Amino acid sequence: MKTAITEMFGIEHPIIQGGMHFVGFAELAAAVSSAGGLGIITGLTQRTPELLAKEIARCRDMTDRPFGVNLTFLPSFTAPPYPEYIAAIREGGIKIVETAGRSPEQYMSALKAAGIKVIHKCTSVRHSLKAEQIGCDAVSVDGFECGGHPGEDDMPNMILLPRAAEELKIPFVASGGMADARSLVAALALGAAGMNMGTRFIATKEAPVHDNVKQALVAATELDTRLVMRAIRNTERVLKNKGVDRLLEIECERGKSLKIEDIHDQVAGVYPKVMIDGDMDAGAWSCGMVAGLIHDIPTVKELIDRIMADAERLILERLAGLIGVESRAALKVA
């Protein structure tokens, strides 16, 4: 399947593995890239730029296919040394960077000078247009269904994607709610040139996380996520657990006076406890509503191969079958 995204990034299938904290290590990125998609190492999971350089080198030992690095610009308790991370990315020969959170505008000159293609994750059309204006090569359009930060507009992908298609000149992929061939075909129909999957890739054999996390995703339904931190306009979709229940209680108690310090214990340092130790009640960790569509834990290759095979069947058989015989004949002639 050739799209603007497969051509831009030199990949076989229009499937990107989004950056995920304490999930996007070399093992997963290499598995996705080797299976024909675009694997992404999560830059800030590596505590220092030097560690990121080692992770990039480790991934190169695992695959000869293109892979990228995610850099997320979000409010945090300590500001990461972004220029040093970008230097590690450049020196590691990375040519694709997924940016997320705040605008990457102040770092675009450094990224472009290194010949890096930038795909920025956006939760609105206006932010997507800004990304296009500052020189991003592509956009990952993130609907309200997504895990992590869905923005503050609460716009689902059935509306957001076609609006992006109406406005953007650069290619974009659909993110949020993406899990299978149905997601991919729908995204293509709505104007996207591929899809970005996050939560779905956690429930794969190669994902370097505790098995408790994978089993929790298989057991979860589409009703098991919660939105937290709305009062401080840093909304995040997370999987419901005891830590999240306590976080929501604090939010209810504090109301509009909530400060990030009030929920420090429920949001800071949670990912290692969940992803490494398997403590599923530790606190807030990003998870999409797509958990309701996760029913197994395949290898990455099995998942991607299944998506592409099913997508072909959906397009050539089910959808084509809805068109009359005469119309199909006319399409073939054309």
Side-chain angles (χ1 to χ4, degrees):
M1 184 181 288
K2 286 187 178 182
T3 73
I5 287 295
T6 64
E7 297 297 289
M8 178 179 291
F9 295 140
I11 56 179
E12 185 179 354
H13 307 307
I15 298 173
I16 297 173
Q17 166 246 317
M20 293 173 283
H21 201 34
F22 274 85
V23 180
F25 292 100
E27 291 88 349
L28 182 58
V32 173
S33 290
S34 294
L38 180 65
I40 301 284
I41 292 172
T42 307
L44 297 187
T45 294
Q46 303 300 319
R47 295 187 309 277
T48 67
E50 292 77 16
L51 288 173
L52 175 58
K54 290 180 180 178
E55 194 70 6
I56 290 170
R58 206 161 69 87
C59 195
R60 287 215 181 280
D61 288 340
M62 297 178 184
T63 184
D64 59 359
R65 303 283 187 91
F67 63 91
V69 171
N70 165 279
L71 272 183
T72 298
F73 305 103
L74 283 174
S76 62
F77 297 106
T78 55
Y82 288 113
E84 287 85 349
Y85 276 100
I86 291 171
I89 289 167
R90 181 188 67 242
E91 290 161 14
I94 295 295
K95 294 301 180 184
I96 303 163
V97 166
E98 176 194 60
T99 55
R102 292 175 172 175
S103 172
E105 184 170 8
Q106 71 182 100
Y107 302 106
M108 285 298 293
S109 59
L111 291 166
K112 302 309 286 185
I116 292 170
K117 294 190 181 301
V118 178
I119 177 168
H120 186 55
K121 188 170 283 188
C122 301
T123 59
S124 69
V125 173
R126 65 184 181 281
H127 292 149
S128 299
L129 287 169
K130 175 65 174 177
E132 180 177 81
Q133 177 193 331
I134 66 173
C136 291
D137 300 277
V139 173
S140 181
V141 177
D142 219 9
F144 183 59
E145 308 92 329
C146 73
H149 299 274
E152 308 301 326
D153 292 344
D154 299 358
M155 191 62 59
N157 267 330
M158 284 294 288
I159 307 301
L160 187 57
L161 296 176
R163 280 291 295 123
E166 289 176 351
E167 300 284 349
L168 289 171
K169 296 181 179 64
I170 58 175
F172 67 93
V173 297
S175 183
M178 303 292 117
D180 53 29
R182 296 169 297 184
S183 311
L184 177 58
V185 173
L188 295 171
L190 292 171
M195 69 177 179
N196 178 304
M197 294 198 305
T199 303
R200 184 61 186 95
F201 274 124
I202 302 177
T204 57
K205 286 188 166 57
E206 291 92 341
V209 302
H210 198 286
D211 191 57
N212 288 355
V213 180
K214 302 178 186 185
Q215 296 302 330
L217 291 175
V218 172
T221 76
E222 65 275 16
L223 303 175
D224 290 330
T225 67
R226 297 290 183 269
L227 294 174
V228 299
M229 297 190 286
R230 300 224 83 171
I232 57 175
R233 296 186 65 79
N234 188 31
T235 302
E236 183 176 4
R237 186 179 297 283
V238 300
L239 190 67
K240 175 177 163 45
N241 60 44
K242 290 179 182 177
V244 169
D245 288 344
R246 177 57 189 148
L247 192 161
L248 291 171
E249 287 174 5
I250 295 170
E251 289 191 343
C252 186
E253 292 165 4
R254 299 286 193 274
K256 292 183 180 178
S257 66
L258 180 77
K259 296 183 176 64
I260 188 68
E261 294 81 7
D262 298 330
I263 52 174
H264 180 276
D265 291 347
Q266 287 74 37
V267 299
V270 169
Y271 278 86
K273 297 174 186 174
V274 174
M275 300 300 175
I276 297 173
D277 301 335
D279 180 359
M280 301 313 298
D281 289 315
W285 61 280
S286 297
C287 177
M289 296 172 77
V290 75
L293 298 176
I294 297 174
H295 308 303
D296 63 353
I297 306 171
T299 67
V300 165
K301 187 176 189 319
E302 287 168 347
L303 177 61
I304 290 179
D305 286 351
R306 182 169 72 196
I307 289 171
M308 297 312 301
D310 288 350
E312 186 171 331
R313 279 192 291 273
L314 275 173
I315 295 167
L316 297 180
E317 296 176 18
R318 183 174 185 275
L319 296 182
L322 299 177
I323 302 173
V325 174
E326 291 181 4
S327 296
R328 289 204 301 275
L331 283 173
K332 287 179 180 177
V333 170

